[in-house]
Amino acid sequence: MPLFTSQKPFLIAGPCSAESEEQMLEIAHAFQHMPVHMIRAGIWKPRSRPGHFEGIGEKGLAWLKQVKQIAQKPICIEVANKEQVALALKYDIDAVWLGARTTVNPILVQEIADALQGTSLAVLVKNPVNPDIELWSGAIERLQQKNIQDIAAIHRGFSTYDTHSKYRNKPLWAIPIELKRRYPKLPIYCDVSHITGKRDLIAPIAQRAMDLDFDGLMIETHPNPDVALSDALQQITPHALATIIAQLVLKKKSVESDIEIENIRQTLDSMDAEIIEIIGKRMELVKELGKIKAQNNIAIFQQERWREIVESRTMWGESNQLNAEFILRLFELIHDKSIKTQIEVLNQQSNHS
Ligand code: PEP
Ligand code: MN
């Protein structure tokens, strides 16, 4: 029986770190009658900087065995090497997760995949710290190659140098959505705690994940969050968790009978077809421009022209309720393609001459 069931939202909760036997037993009792499907706890903590709480280690695994018995729910922990996989097996852990700092490292992922081969452990794969979908996909594929059946992905957001961001890790929702497109059968859960980094954003981001059709949530929960030894600012009490879950509005998938949705989608389809046609025509014109520039020995990229493009398009965007960041990203893509097209034209012309 797979652990990652189709129950929606599949809820994984528990503290960032196992800290004491009392703390873990409190969690076990609190979750007994809550819609929590799997209990999490960090045993070895991959802290960015030394000098912080680095996890309780093996003795915490004995506490988790008791938690499993009391709560009657499967347990998951983070593993970052093969020795930790062996200990997870020794203490009857049900599932392990690869943390963001592990998914970035294919050698470690491979080591863990090799150690997991032939075991019955279910595996959760967090996205890497950096926004690289290939690393995330690669980790999933290394596990699939070892014939691990029960796999799910966890979206925990992406590191940023932007000190003004309201998130601890930016969600960049397009990346998990693309992962879902690549692996339609793979359950994907949203680790709201590590995205937000703070309590007051947990409810709205959990709702956003539901609106985007995520299969479940991971939410760090601690009996006394203020004194937590790691990630204190983002942990919530079991009581607060229960309230957030009860208030989630679950959206149903649209069905064909939703005629209004179908109509709007058809209109969107034809608008997208038009947008693509126009971009295609724009590129044809860019080729013409490229030929003229090549014949007259004019530089392809001109800083002044690019500045003008950004300024005017941003202004046009504003009068259409499209913000400057969106317009900039859109035109960076278009402009980049234009430059490449002109370089191709230039190369063709110089090959002919
Ligand atoms: C965690 O889940 O406590 C953790 C360390 O997460 P991440 O790997 O997402 O940083
Ligand atoms: Mn944490």
Side-chain angles (χ1 to χ4, degrees):
M1 259 278 283
L3 284 182
F4 304 131
T5 56
S6 53
Q7 201 121 19
K8 216 167 162 174
F10 185 88
L11 179 60
I12 304 174
C16 177
S17 307
E19 299 167 0
S20 69
E21 189 171 1
E22 299 69 50
Q23 171 223 23
M24 288 315 307
L25 295 185
E26 257 189 82
I27 283 292
H29 286 112
F31 285 174
Q32 256 177 337
H33 303 294
M34 279 177 60
V36 170
H37 303 98
M38 185 177 272
I39 302 179
R40 64 155 279 155
I43 293 293
W44 304 279
K45 298 304 297 176
R47 308 310 296 276
S48 299
R49 311 261 316 256
H52 297 270
F53 176 62
E54 307 248 343
I56 201 77
E58 186 173 346
K59 76 173 170 192
L61 293 171
W63 308 336
L64 294 184
K65 247 183 142 164
Q66 296 181 56
V67 172
K68 182 168 165 172
Q69 278 202 332
I70 295 168
Q72 291 291 308
K73 296 182 196 263
I75 308 286
C76 68
I77 62 166
E78 175 171 356
V79 290
N81 60 34
K82 61 176 187 294
E83 288 78 19
Q84 294 174 356
V85 172
L87 284 167
L89 288 165
K90 179 174 162 194
Y91 286 89
D92 284 336
I93 295 295
D94 303 280
V96 293
W97 82 83
L98 271 58
R101 293 164 193 77
T102 302
T103 310
V104 282
N105 183 338
I107 294 182
L108 271 184
V109 172
Q110 191 60 52
E111 171 182 318
I112 295 169
D114 292 343
L116 286 168
Q117 184 169 28
T119 74
S120 60
L121 283 165
V123 189
L124 295 146
V125 185
K126 288 206 183 193
N127 64 258
V129 278
N130 55 328
D132 182 344
I133 193 167
E134 301 310 330
L135 279 172
W136 200 3
S137 301
I140 291 162
E141 283 162 14
R142 284 177 200 278
L143 294 163
Q144 286 172 336
Q145 280 177 356
K146 294 290 166 182
N147 225 358
I148 292 155
Q149 301 296 323
D150 209 359
I151 306 178
I154 300 186
H155 169 229
R156 51 77 81 193
F158 301 90
S159 265
T160 167
Y161 189 59
D162 173 5
T163 48
H164 300 296
S165 172
K166 68 174 178 174
Y167 301 106
R168 178 176 177 195
N169 291 293
K170 283 195 176 173
L172 307 180
W173 297 102
I175 298 180
I177 289 170
E178 167 61 12
L179 192 84
K180 188 82 188 158
R181 192 192 63 76
R182 290 186 183 187
Y183 309 100
K185 292 206 177 99
L186 185 82
I188 177 158
Y189 308 142
C190 181
D191 173 350
V192 183
S193 307
H194 290 90
I195 290 177
T196 61
K198 47 183 166 307
R199 285 170 208 153
D200 57 347
L201 280 179
I202 290 181
I205 296 301
Q207 183 60 53
R208 175 77 62 87
M210 292 298 97
D211 295 348
L212 292 173
D213 204 26
F214 275 71
D215 301 291
L217 301 168
M218 179 184 256
I219 300 183
E220 287 188 337
T221 315
H222 190 291
N224 192 355
D226 288 333
V227 299
L229 298 181
S230 59
D231 290 352
L233 294 179
Q234 70 194 30
Q235 302 208 58
I236 57 173
T237 61
H239 181 72
L241 176 69
T243 308
I244 288 172
I245 299 302
Q247 287 174 351
L248 283 177
V249 182
L250 301 182
K251 305 277 158 58
K252 58 182 173 60
K253 274 205 166 49
S254 65
V255 285
E256 275 172 46
S257 59
D258 288 337
I259 194 76
E260 253 178 310
I261 293 184
E262 220 25 63
N263 282 343
I264 294 177
R265 282 188 171 155
Q266 275 178 15
T267 311
L268 292 176
D269 287 350
S270 58
M271 284 176 164
D272 287 349
E274 268 177 59
I275 292 174
I276 291 170
E277 214 178 291
I278 290 184
I279 295 177
K281 283 189 186 146
R282 190 186 192 283
M283 288 307 158
E284 283 308 309
L285 215 50
V286 163
K287 271 188 203 155
E288 292 300 311
L289 180 67
K291 277 185 204 154
I292 301 172
K293 283 185 186 170
Q295 281 155 9
N296 295 290
N297 221 8
I298 296 173
I300 289 176
F301 178 75
Q302 297 189 20
Q303 190 66 48
E304 197 43 42
R305 170 70 181 149
W306 173 232
R307 190 170 309 129
E308 252 173 55
I309 290 183
V310 174
E311 270 172 23
S312 57
R313 277 49 168 180
T314 307
M315 221 169 65
W316 302 340
E318 270 162 16
S319 48
N320 285 285
Q321 286 76 50
L322 298 169
N323 71 24
E325 191 193 341
F326 171 75
I327 295 288
L328 180 63
R329 284 175 60 191
L330 179 65
F331 276 90
E332 269 171 355
L333 269 179
I334 293 178
H335 192 248
D336 187 54
K337 177 76 183 149
S338 298
I339 300 269
K340 286 188 182 129
T341 305
Q342 292 180 63
I343 291 173
E344 276 165 27
V345 171
L346 180 68
N347 289 344
Q348 277 164 11
Q349 301 238 327
S350 44
N351 287 345
H352 290 307
S353 57

